[in-house]
């Protein structure tokens, strides 16, 4: 107990609060301030939150496909990175029913996609704390700047959750910027007539007294929240083993089952081939989810279990999403400006696969891409706006940068970069500067001329 009387402390605190709003907590000796409402991402300035670092998400979800209602509890274990009087989580839509911090009820407030929690006691920098948020409602998809829909998407029999770049806030509260990666446990309770899947390893399955079925999913390796997924529907599942020890779980919605059988069988072969080029597989599980859902119109590299609309479960797309497990999922962009590090590498992985196993030289793919005007709209390292993050220059010109790098440093050094990059930043975050510096360190020389033209330059260079 402080020696001063309660009233004088309260009076002093009130005066200080007037002088310096946000500075309270005199009684505990901490002068905390609220964590920032965003991490100033160049494209989504409010995405993510400052003042803490999440270590683990424990998500307990129950979903009713008939009504579309989701009941959730998010238990977030985090560490304060400043003296915190309050902190934000990103959450879009839904209704918050209650919140606690370290077991004590916390005051909460909502404004736009920001959910603010104010713990009873301030959190000194360095302390680990546990926040829980109980919520429910019918999740609403988020419409991107480019018009595509993401988040919790309802399907005829269930739902599928896709989070890139900002969709995950539509189904759980969190620090939804790719720079804050965490491990996950997800507990999913569903009517018995549908199957549910998520990332990582399924550690339990049980039938509840009311007949619903609960499955439990564990993701041990750090995961950016945009890579978290849930798929609910009439799935047919299959298991296999890859790389001697990695469990492969595939799930295909019934209408797509027959057509996908051959590629499902090929998954361990493709993984082994990619390990040869990119180094050790970074995760303890693998697989694929193929939806029959018309409303999903792109594949996504959800961690350990990429997601495909039935129409795009083909070898090239699988190679692309599987390559993302190294480039994007294990080595994750520092900000959305670095998206070419995901898409350029995954596209170049297609070119490499084509060269090695399908007799199409990467140089041919490069020349084809070079000839297309759409690929020259902007430099891959500087998409002009959020709506351009997934435009052709990010994919095709991103891959062209890597091909030019290969031609400049030679195959042997390029191979070393291809393996060394995901090793150096395994389970971490990296930006464009990290990549150029790393490539130069392996090459043993300055590559500014290459970056200036191919990575940062406006317009098409004179010759390929
Ligand atoms: N990253 C996905 C891929 O593998 C594509 C993607 C994700 C996407 N989210 C998107 C494309 C939103 C357009 C809009 O290529
Ligand atoms: Zn991709």
């Amino acid at each position: 107990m402080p020696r001063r009387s309660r009233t004088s402390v309260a009076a002093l605190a009130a005066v200080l609060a007037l002088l310096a709003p946000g500075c309270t907590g005199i009684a505990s000796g901490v002068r905390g301030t609220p964590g920032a409402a965003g991490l100033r991402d160049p494209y989504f300035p409010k995405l993510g939150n400052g003042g803490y670092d999440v270590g683990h998400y424990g998500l307990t979800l129950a979903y009713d496909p008939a009504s579309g209602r989701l009941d959730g509890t998010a238990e977030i274990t985090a560490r304060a990175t400043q003296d915190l009087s309050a902190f934000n989580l990103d959450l879009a839509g839904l209704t918050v029913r209650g919140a606690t911090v370290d077991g004590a009820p916390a005051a909460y407030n909502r404004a736009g996609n920001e959910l603010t929690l104010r713990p009873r006691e301030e959190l000194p920098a360095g302390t680990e704390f546990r926040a829980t948020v109980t919520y429910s409602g019918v999740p609403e998809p988020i419409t991107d700047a480019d018009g595509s829909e993401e988040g919790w998407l309802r399907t005829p029999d269930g739902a599928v959750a896709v989070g890139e770049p900002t969709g995950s806030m539509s189904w759980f509260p969190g620090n939804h910027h790719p720079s804050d990666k965490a491990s996950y446990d997800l507990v999913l309770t569903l009517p018995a007539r549908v199957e549910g899947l998520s990332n990582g390893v399924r550690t339990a399955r049980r039938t509840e007294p009311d007949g619903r079925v609960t499955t439990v999913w564990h993701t041990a390796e750090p995961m950016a929240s945009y890579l978290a997924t849930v798929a609910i529907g009439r799935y047919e599942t299959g298991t296999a083993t890859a790389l001697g020890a990695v469990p492969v779980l595939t799930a295909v919605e019934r209408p797509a089952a027959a057509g996908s059988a051959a590629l499902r069988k090929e998954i361990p072969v493709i993984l082994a081939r990619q390990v040869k080029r990119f180094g050790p597989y970074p995760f303890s599980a693998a697989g694929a989810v193929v939806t029959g859902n018309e409303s999903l119109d792109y594949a996504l590299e959800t961690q350990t279990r990429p997601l495909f609309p039935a129409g795009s479960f083909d070898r090239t797309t699988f190679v692309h999403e599987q390559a993302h497990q190294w480039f994007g999922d294990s080595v994750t962009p520092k900000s959305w400006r670095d998206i070419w590090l995901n898409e350029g590498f995954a596209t170049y992985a297609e070119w490499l696969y084509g060269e090695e196993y399908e007799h199409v030289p990467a140089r041919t793919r490069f020349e084809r891409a070079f000839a297309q005007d759409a690929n020259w709209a902007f430099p891959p390292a500087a998409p002009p706006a959020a709506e351009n993050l997934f435009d052709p220059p990010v994919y095709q010109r991103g891959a062209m940068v890597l091909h030019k790098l290969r031609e400049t440093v030679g195959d042997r050094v390029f191979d070393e970069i291809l393996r060394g990059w995901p090793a150096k930043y395994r389970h971490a975050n990296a930006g464009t500067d990290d990549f150029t510096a790393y490539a130069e360190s392996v090459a043993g020389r300055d590559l500014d001329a290459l970056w200036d033209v191919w990575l940062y330059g406006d317009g098409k260079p004179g010759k390929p």
Side-chain angles (χ1 to χ4, degrees):
M1 270 300 267
R3 268 198 284 158
R4 276 173 298 202
S5 77
R6 278 183 173 281
T7 42
S8 71
V9 169
L12 181 61
V15 169
L16 282 172
L18 283 172
L19 292 173
C23 289
T24 54
I26 303 303
S28 60
V30 177
R31 290 164 158 270
T33 51
L39 292 175
R40 304 193 201 185
D41 186 276
Y43 302 91
F44 310 101
K46 289 243 178 148
L47 195 63
N49 304 282
Y52 66 95
D53 221 314
V54 179
H56 185 77
Y57 289 91
L59 304 176
T60 304
L61 307 175
Y63 187 64
D64 175 31
S67 65
R69 180 185 161 106
L70 177 70
D71 283 283
T73 300
E75 191 176 293
I76 297 167
T77 309
R79 189 176 296 280
T81 55
Q82 66 179 63
D83 294 339
L84 273 180
S85 59
F87 60 90
N88 281 15
L89 297 166
D90 302 318
L91 180 67
L94 302 167
T95 302
V96 173
R97 308 276 170 200
T100 67
V101 174
D102 291 332
Y108 60 87
N109 180 57
R110 301 195 69 182
N113 296 337
E114 300 293 332
L115 164 64
T116 303
L117 262 59
R118 184 172 291 273
R120 247 184 219 170
E121 303 272 332
E122 297 201 343
L123 301 162
T127 4
E128 189 170 278
F129 64 92
R130 196 165 43 90
T132 65
V133 177
T134 310
Y135 58 98
S136 60
V138 177
E140 284 190 22
I142 288 174
T143 304
D144 273 333
D146 68 0
S148 59
E149 289 212 321
E150 75 214 27
W152 188 275
L153 308 178
R154 275 180 90 169
T155 63
D157 299 312
V160 61
V162 288
E164 193 184 29
T166 71
S168 294
M169 64 169 94
S170 79
W171 60 281
F172 67 98
N175 199 15
H176 289 304
H177 189 267
S179 58
D180 192 359
K181 305 211 281 184
S183 57
Y184 283 69
D185 281 298
L186 191 142
V187 179
L188 184 61
T189 300
L190 301 168
R193 69 192 153 76
V194 288
E195 197 69 45
L197 293 109
S198 186
N199 314 84
V201 177
R202 198 179 80 186
T203 57
R205 183 197 178 95
R206 58 176 183 262
T207 302
E208 303 293 339
D210 64 8
R212 289 184 302 167
V213 174
T214 296
T215 53
V216 182
W217 301 83
H218 180 62
T219 297
E221 299 90 6
M223 176 163 78
S225 71
Y226 78 90
L227 298 167
T229 191
V230 165
I232 298 163
R234 293 177 196 273
Y235 285 96
E236 233 166 54
T237 59
T239 56
T241 303
L243 309 169
V246 177
V248 179
L249 174 60
T250 57
V252 179
E253 258 183 330
R254 300 256 159 90
S260 64
L263 184 53
R264 283 167 92 184
K265 271 205 205 111
E266 214 179 311
I267 289 176
V269 176
I270 295 172
L271 248 111
R273 289 172 168 181
Q274 291 190 324
V275 164
K276 278 208 290 185
R277 297 307 298 259
F278 311 144
Y281 180 64
F283 302 117
S284 43
V289 174
V290 185
T291 73
N293 173 21
E294 296 299 316
S295 68
L296 182 70
D297 55 9
Y298 52 84
L300 186 64
E301 63 267 28
T302 39
Q303 192 159 306
T304 68
R305 202 140 294 126
L307 199 56
F308 303 84
S312 46
F313 190 58
D314 52 64
R315 188 181 295 108
T316 302
T317 309
F318 184 81
V319 163
H320 178 108
E321 306 308 334
Q322 186 58 35
H324 273 308
Q325 303 302 311
W326 283 263
F327 308 106
D329 295 14
S330 174
V331 183
T332 303
K334 272 186 180 159
S335 95
W336 287 110
R337 178 174 284 152
D338 305 311
I339 183 66
W340 82 275
L341 288 172
N342 289 12
E343 302 305 346
F345 270 93
T347 303
Y348 200 64
E350 297 173 39
W351 297 8
L352 287 171
Y353 199 90
E355 178 168 83
E356 209 168 347
Y357 304 104
E358 290 158 1
H359 314 291
V360 184
R363 179 77 206 183
T364 304
R365 304 287 299 270
F366 171 87
E367 281 169 9
R368 256 185 240 156
F370 187 87
Q372 278 161 12
D373 287 345
N375 297 333
W376 298 98
F378 55 83
E387 69 199 66
N388 307 113
L389 286 175
F390 300 96
D391 280 0
V394 172
Y395 287 73
Q396 300 295 323
R397 212 180 139 181
M400 280 189 263
V401 171
L402 296 171
H403 191 73
K404 285 310 282 188
L405 173 63
R406 175 180 169 188
E407 291 186 343
T408 306
V409 301
D411 281 2
R412 198 191 54 78
V413 172
F414 183 74
D415 273 351
E416 198 181 325
I417 293 170
L418 213 50
R419 257 188 295 273
W421 171 248
K424 177 164 172 147
Y425 291 94
R426 183 179 170 93
H427 298 153
N429 291 87
T432 300
D433 291 349
D434 296 316
F435 179 70
T436 54
Y438 176 74
E440 291 181 357
S441 77
V442 177
R445 62 175 161 126
D446 178 289
L447 296 166
D448 278 349
L450 174 72
W451 313 131
D452 286 352
V453 173
W454 295 90
L455 188 52
Y456 298 110
D458 267 320
K460 192 168 174 170
K463 57 179 171 46

